[in-house]
């Protein structure tokens, strides 16, 4: 049986030994720690020189004192001297094998866990020692920092790129030529060095470090981190558990229940193959050993499975009222003339993006968590639409760069930021991280909410079997991103769908496209909504009208459900108040899973807009991709995001209107008012058309219309608990209310 010895500068308390048949060769393997003593390592090397077939030296130069020059990646003098002490045994340090396994560990994690390192903030303690790992991580994230200059020279600044690290390693900085080593090790400067290191570590998501270097950090620095290292023993894993580490990526494979570091592993390989020179071990021999012994890096969760993905979402003020929530501006708005607020609105459109709120506490039933940032740009819808698209593109790209630096892995666009120009396509193409508009889930949430509202109102006849539901639907803004996909989905279930937009050519093309997908759909097209409003059971408004009137609510059928997807809303509160017999809901807000912590966005706790929820769902699913961009939304993606939302615990929030969530009593009140209004209409006799005078009856008087009962509903100003009485005296006929001139809605 061949003897294989591993000599490490690590603690002797972690020594182990085992016997195994490895690559068909019986081996007795021992690990011997020296507690950091090079002298003891030398004695052990001499002791085992004639007894061992191969010896692995687990030495590192990562902890060299500040002041030592760094010019090449060659072994430090003490390691070279130790290796020279052996006369008979084959001695190796396993450097090439260490690079291979560390790189493999990173790629294995990225593939197994799905885009795990995408845009992560990574701190590498020694880029000199882990250059290969750093180059691999650079394929997945640009957010790299290296502590070489800080730890070796005491320079209080991190290297922030691979190019900077290469220049440093090539000798571009000769600070040590004039810096006294004694000064570098003095108390104040050493404390400052540790402060800079801890601050960088606090912002990092991933730490790449030798296993022994982890002993210097505590809970404050390592909590929530992913650690990439090699050779984590059970004792060290327990310590990392107490320090709150989420994931340990251990490049050292496990053999016979022990983590075997690269030096000892290469010594085992030399002993088993009979090779005398470590450099003569080719890649084929290493690959053959890995395959035959089924070696693999280890993914260890010291505190159970934890994964936290990161997102960003862009918001913006919807009106000047949002500025007034800021205290200094609130005071100004009271005393300043309106023109001052108009000027402020124009100025804020040029403001750089900033983080409005941190978002934490989102936790999927799968165990995956999400955290993120709400990033605000300053333009209101009026300002956004008054500038060319490139103006908004630049601000969104600045927001994307801010999100990248924060470590976000995907960014969503909210409100008018996804309307302008080509609906996110240009931003997605030019941004440094994936972009989604959230429109797929917005469409899903809108129809989800409308379906729930229709069920709760219970005014429609139940379908027979799997037939279509007997209701008519209208989509205002049908040629827009959300409107078109709502139309496609409604065409599959409704008896009839009316497509409304002020763009006839696009309407005709949309109709043909829907009929190609759903040949039995009944579709009508219109440039104006008002003519057909009285027939509709459901209306979806999805325009970018920015305050323009898109329909006359006084012409809507009693009991109709109107889902207002637009932001700002297509139907302001004063319009909604005119029809208490109509259920107007503000799209479909989504309840996020977990205990969500973020600043107020005008919604109840844990509730977010559907476009925000799409970004969160993709984040939880590790789908860091431009899921929804452009104006052509695929209904398959609407269905997919709906299913993914259910998987991750998304729920339809309470149906809300302009005055907040609707209770069961509120919906029952709308139902009663709608039934009463319908009864009034049914009881009202049809008008007799006035006869025209003809030649045969020149003097025939025109027939007077029969008196009709009042069409007046409960006053909009009445309290919401007011219910129409069962019987009432027929008042005098009220004059027909004058219809406001309808304005064209922007279907985009």
């Amino acid at each position: 049986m061949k003897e294989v010895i591993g000599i490490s500068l690590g603690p002797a308390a972690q020594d182990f030994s085992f016997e195994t048949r490895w690559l068909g060769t019986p081996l007795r393997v021992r690990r011997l720690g020296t507690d950091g003593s090079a002298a003891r390592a030398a004695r052990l090397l001499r002791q085992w020189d004639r007894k061992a077939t191969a010896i692995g030296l687990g030495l590192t130069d990562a902890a060299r004192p500040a002041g030592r020059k760094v010019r090449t990646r060659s072994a430090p003098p003490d390691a070279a001297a130790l290796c020279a002490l052996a006369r008979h045994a084959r001695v190796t340090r396993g450097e090439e094998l260490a690079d291979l396994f560390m790189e493999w560990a990173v790629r294995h994690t990225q593939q197994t866990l799905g885009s795990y390192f995408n845009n992560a903030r990574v701190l590498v303690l020694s880029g000199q020692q882990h250059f290969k790992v750093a180059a691999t991580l650079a394929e997945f994230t640009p957010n790299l920092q290296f502590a070489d200059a800080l730890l070796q020279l005491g320079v209080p600044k991190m290297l922030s790129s691979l190019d900077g690290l290469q220049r440093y390693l090539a000798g571009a900085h000769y600070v040590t030529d004039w810096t006294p080593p004694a000064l570098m090790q003095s108390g104040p400067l050493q404390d400052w060095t540790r402060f800079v290191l801890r601050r960088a570590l606090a912002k990092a998501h991933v730490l790449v470090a030798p296993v022994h270097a982890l002993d210097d950090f505590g809970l404050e620095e390592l909590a929530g981190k992913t650690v990439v290292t090699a050779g984590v023993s059970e004792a060290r894993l327990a310590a990392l558990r107490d320090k709150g580490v989420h994931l340990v990526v251990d490049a050292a494979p496990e053999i016979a229940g022990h983590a075997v570091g690269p030096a000892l592993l290469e010594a085992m390989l030399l002993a088993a193959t009979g090779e005398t020179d470590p450099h003569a071990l080719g890649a084929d021999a290493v690959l053959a050993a890995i395959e035959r012994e089924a070696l693999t890096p280890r993914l260890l969760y010291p505190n159970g499975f934890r994964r936290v993905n990161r997102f960003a979402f862009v918001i913006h003020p919807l009106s000047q009222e949002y500025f007034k929530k800021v205290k200094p501006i609130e005071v100004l708005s009271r005393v300043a003339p309106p023109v001052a607020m108009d000027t402020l609105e124009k100025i804020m459109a040029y403001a750089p993006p900033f983080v409005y709120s941190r978002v934490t506490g989102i936790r999927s039933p799968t165990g995956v968590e999400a955290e993120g940032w709400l990033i605000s740009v300053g333009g209101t819808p009026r300002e956004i639409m008054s500038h060319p698209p490139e103006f908004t593109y630049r601000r969104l790209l600045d927001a994307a760069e801010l999100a990248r630096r924060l470590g976000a892995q995907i960014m969503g666009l909210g409100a008018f930021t996804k309307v302008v120009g080509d609906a996110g396509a240009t931003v997605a193409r030019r941004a440094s991280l994936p972009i989604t508009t959230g429109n797929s889930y917005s469409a899903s949430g809108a129809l989800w909410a409308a379906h729930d509202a229709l069920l709760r109102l219970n005014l429609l006849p139940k379908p027979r079997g799997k037939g279509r539901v007997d209701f008519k639907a209208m989509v205002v803004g049908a040629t827009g991103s959300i409107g078109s996909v709502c139309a496609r989905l409604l065409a599959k279930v409704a008896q009839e769908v009316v497509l409304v937009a002020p763009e006839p050519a696009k309407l005709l093309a949309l109709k043909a496209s829907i009929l190609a997908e759903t040949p039995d759909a009944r579709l009508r097209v219109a440039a104006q909504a008002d003519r057909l409003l009285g027939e509709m059971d459901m209306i979806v408004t999805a325009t970018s009208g920015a305050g323009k009137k898109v329909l006359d609510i006084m012409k809507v059928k009693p009991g109709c459900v109107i889902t207002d997807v637009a932001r700002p809303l297509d139907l302001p509160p004063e319009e909604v108040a005119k029809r208490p017999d109509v259920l107007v809901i503000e799209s479909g807000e989504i309840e996020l899973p977990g205990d969500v912590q973020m600043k107020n966005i005008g919604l109840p706790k844990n509730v977010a807009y559907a476009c925000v929820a799409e970004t969160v769902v993709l984040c939880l699913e590790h789908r860091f991709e431009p899921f929804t961009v452009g104006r052509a939304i695929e209904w398959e993606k609407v269905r997919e995001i709906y299913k993914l939302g259910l998987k991750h615990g998304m729920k339809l929030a309470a149906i809300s209107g302009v005055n907040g969530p609707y209770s069961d009593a509120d919906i029952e009140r709308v139902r009663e008012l709608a039934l009463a209004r319908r009864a009034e209409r049914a009881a009202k006799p049809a008008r007799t058309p006035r006869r025209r005078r003809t030649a045969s009856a020149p003097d025939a008087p025109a027939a007077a219309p029969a008196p009709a009962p009042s069409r007046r509903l409960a006053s909009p100003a009445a309290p919401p608990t007011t219910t129409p009485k069962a019987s009432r005296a027929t008042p005098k006929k009220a004059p027909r209310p004058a219809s406001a001139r309808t304005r064209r809605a922007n279907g985009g």
Side-chain angles (χ1 to χ4, degrees):
M1 181 174 289
K2 295 182 178 180
E3 199 84 35
V4 180
I5 302 297
I7 300 175
S8 170
L9 292 180
Q14 297 179 14
D15 287 353
F16 58 80
S17 65
F18 60 87
E19 294 182 2
T20 184
R21 177 174 288 274
W22 204 70
L23 297 180
T25 303
L27 300 178
R28 181 183 292 112
V29 181
R30 299 185 185 184
R31 186 265 187 193
L32 304 173
T34 66
D35 295 317
S37 172
R40 185 178 176 188
R43 289 196 299 271
L44 288 173
L45 190 61
R46 293 190 185 95
Q47 176 185 340
W48 288 98
D49 184 25
R50 291 182 176 275
K51 302 177 184 178
T53 304
I55 300 175
L57 287 177
L59 309 177
T60 178
D61 56 343
R64 284 189 285 180
R68 178 167 297 181
K69 293 184 180 181
V70 182
R71 298 180 186 248
T72 67
R73 300 189 65 216
S74 60
D78 52 353
L82 282 174
C83 292
L85 294 176
R87 303 293 184 183
H88 304 283
R90 306 157 199 168
V91 180
T92 180
R93 295 187 62 208
E95 291 177 302
E96 294 182 3
L97 202 61
D99 282 346
L100 186 154
F101 269 85
M102 287 289 282
E103 179 185 355
W104 182 22
V106 169
R107 296 189 183 279
H108 173 73
T109 304
Q110 178 76 359
Q111 182 176 2
T112 303
L113 299 184
S115 305
Y116 189 82
F117 295 111
N118 280 26
N119 208 39
R121 296 170 65 123
V122 180
L123 174 61
V124 183
L125 286 193
S126 175
Q128 179 188 17
Q129 182 180 355
H130 293 122
F131 187 88
K132 187 69 173 178
V133 180
T136 304
L137 286 167
E139 298 177 17
F140 313 124
T141 175
N143 294 329
L144 298 175
Q145 286 192 317
F146 305 93
D148 297 66
L150 177 71
L151 296 179
Q152 295 173 353
L153 304 178
V155 177
K157 185 174 177 60
M158 296 289 173
L159 303 171
S160 57
S161 68
L162 276 178
D163 289 341
L165 176 65
Q166 288 176 314
R167 288 195 297 269
Y168 174 83
L169 296 179
H173 301 281
Y174 287 95
V175 181
T176 52
D177 291 338
W178 55 268
T179 302
L183 177 62
M184 303 304 298
Q185 299 176 7
S186 64
L189 193 54
Q190 194 174 41
D191 292 342
W192 176 251
T193 298
R194 289 187 65 83
F195 168 76
V196 174
L197 180 61
R198 290 176 185 275
R199 184 177 61 180
L201 186 53
K203 296 179 180 179
H205 304 123
V206 178
L207 173 65
V208 180
V211 67
H212 63 82
L214 302 176
D215 300 338
D216 296 334
F217 302 108
L219 177 66
E220 183 178 350
E221 295 87 13
L222 295 182
K225 298 292 187 290
T226 294
V227 175
V228 180
T229 188
V232 178
S233 63
E234 289 298 324
R236 274 208 168 98
L237 188 63
L240 294 176
R241 179 179 61 245
D242 295 339
K243 295 175 181 180
V245 172
H246 280 183
L247 172 64
V248 177
V249 179
D250 190 357
E254 187 176 68
I255 302 176
H258 300 280
V260 178
L264 181 55
L265 183 64
E266 190 164 85
M268 293 173 61
L269 192 58
L270 290 173
T273 60
E275 186 63 60
T276 58
D277 183 7
H279 299 290
L281 284 173
D284 287 338
V286 175
L287 291 173
I290 290 173
E291 288 186 334
R292 180 170 177 178
E293 297 298 330
L295 304 180
T296 184
R298 301 187 300 160
L299 303 180
L300 308 173
Y301 295 94
N303 292 285
F305 175 78
R306 295 291 301 275
R307 175 165 182 175
V308 182
N309 295 334
R310 303 168 302 280
F311 71 94
F313 191 83
V314 179
I315 60 176
H316 68 88
L318 297 180
S319 69
Q320 292 182 3
E321 296 301 316
Y322 285 74
F323 297 135
K324 296 177 183 178
K325 296 179 182 179
V326 182
K327 287 188 177 181
I329 299 177
E330 179 186 10
V331 176
L332 175 65
S333 65
R334 294 175 186 169
V335 297
V339 67
M341 291 302 298
D342 293 341
T343 303
L344 177 65
E345 181 180 4
K346 293 181 180 295
I347 293 173
M348 289 301 296
Y350 292 86
F354 64 94
V355 175
Y356 168 73
S357 175
R358 178 86 183 276
V359 183
T360 59
I362 303 173
R363 185 178 179 87
S364 165
T366 63
V368 180
E369 301 173 46
E371 64 180 21
W373 301 266
L374 300 181
I375 299 176
S376 178
V377 294
T380 60
R382 181 167 61 179
E383 285 300 312
I384 289 176
M385 301 306 289
S386 67
H387 287 85
E390 187 62 32
F391 176 86
T392 303
Y393 293 164
R394 289 196 298 269
R395 273 125 197 96
L396 294 179
L397 291 172
D398 289 343
E401 181 60 21
L402 174 58
R404 182 200 66 77
R405 294 196 303 269
L406 291 170
Q409 296 163 298
I410 187 170
M411 188 177 84
L413 305 181
F416 266 61
T417 64
K418 60 185 177 184
V419 173
V420 68
D422 52 14
T426 296
V427 177
R429 188 170 58 251
R430 292 160 57 179
S432 54
L433 73 167
I435 301 294
T436 186
T437 63
N439 282 342
S440 292
Y441 214 12
S442 292
S444 173
L447 298 182
W448 191 359
H451 173 263
D452 189 60
L454 286 173
L455 291 179
R456 292 171 67 179
L457 275 177
N458 195 25
L459 293 173
L460 296 178
K462 298 187 181 299
R464 297 178 180 179
K466 296 183 178 180
R468 293 176 179 271
V469 183
D470 188 12
F471 79 100
K472 295 182 178 181
M474 174 183 286
V475 181
V476 184
T479 56
S481 300
I482 298 175
S484 62
V485 75
C486 286
R488 294 178 190 278
L489 295 176
L490 286 171
K492 298 177 182 296
V493 295
Q495 285 288 356
E496 183 177 300
V497 180
V498 178
L499 313 177
V500 180
E503 302 162 308
K506 288 185 178 181
L507 275 178
L508 294 173
L510 176 63
K511 179 181 178 180
S513 174
I514 295 176
L515 289 175
E517 298 171 356
T518 312
D520 61 337
R522 292 181 58 189
L523 303 177
R524 299 166 71 182
V525 293
Q528 299 289 337
D530 290 357
R531 181 170 56 89
L532 302 171
L533 286 176
E535 305 175 28
M536 299 298 115
D537 300 291
M538 178 198 296
I539 300 172
V540 177
T541 68
T543 79
S544 54
K548 297 178 182 178
K549 188 172 183 178
V550 300
L551 58 83
D552 185 354
I553 197 170
M554 299 307 297
K555 297 182 178 181
V556 172
K557 180 179 179 179
C560 177
V561 173
I562 302 178
T563 303
D564 194 343
V565 186
R567 293 297 181 274
L569 297 171
D570 281 331
L571 295 173
E574 56 271 18
E575 283 288 301
V576 175
K578 296 177 182 179
R579 292 297 300 273
D581 60 328
V582 172
L583 190 63
V584 181
I585 58 180
E586 295 186 3
S587 180
E589 277 72 46
I590 304 297
E591 182 179 343
L592 304 177
D595 182 18
V596 183
Q597 303 295 324
M598 64 177 171
K599 288 184 180 179
N600 179 29
I601 58 172
L603 295 174
K605 180 176 172 57
N606 274 41
V607 176
Y609 297 110
C611 49
V612 180
E614 176 176 312
T615 311
V616 173
V617 168
L618 295 173
C619 185
L620 292 170
E621 186 65 14
H622 333 311
R623 294 280 294 274
F624 308 125
E625 61 188 63
F627 189 82
T628 308
V629 292
R631 303 198 181 279
I633 302 177
E634 303 172 21
W635 74 267
E636 291 86 354
K637 287 194 172 183
V638 176
R639 181 173 56 183
E640 181 183 10
I641 198 69
Y642 170 75
K643 292 181 178 179
L644 289 176
L646 295 179
K647 171 184 174 181
H648 290 289
M650 303 290 165
K651 300 177 183 178
L652 181 66
I655 299 177
S656 297
V658 293
N659 296 316
Y662 285 109
S663 65
D664 291 338
D666 294 331
I667 292 180
E668 181 60 28
R669 189 178 310 115
V670 174
R671 172 182 163 81
E672 291 175 359
L673 290 171
L675 290 173
R677 181 66 178 267
R678 290 184 181 186
E680 284 185 11
R681 289 188 173 185
K684 178 181 177 181
R687 291 192 179 197
T688 304
R690 186 181 296 271
R691 294 182 182 177
R692 298 191 176 205
R693 293 178 180 267
T694 63
S696 59
D699 300 321
S710 170
R711 299 175 58 188
R712 180 169 54 87
L713 280 178
S715 170
T721 54
T722 302
T723 304
K725 295 181 180 180
S727 63
R728 64 173 67 177
T730 303
K732 294 182 179 179
K733 182 179 177 182
R736 181 185 301 272
S739 173
R741 185 176 63 182
T742 55
R743 300 179 180 177
R744 293 179 50 167
N746 184 348

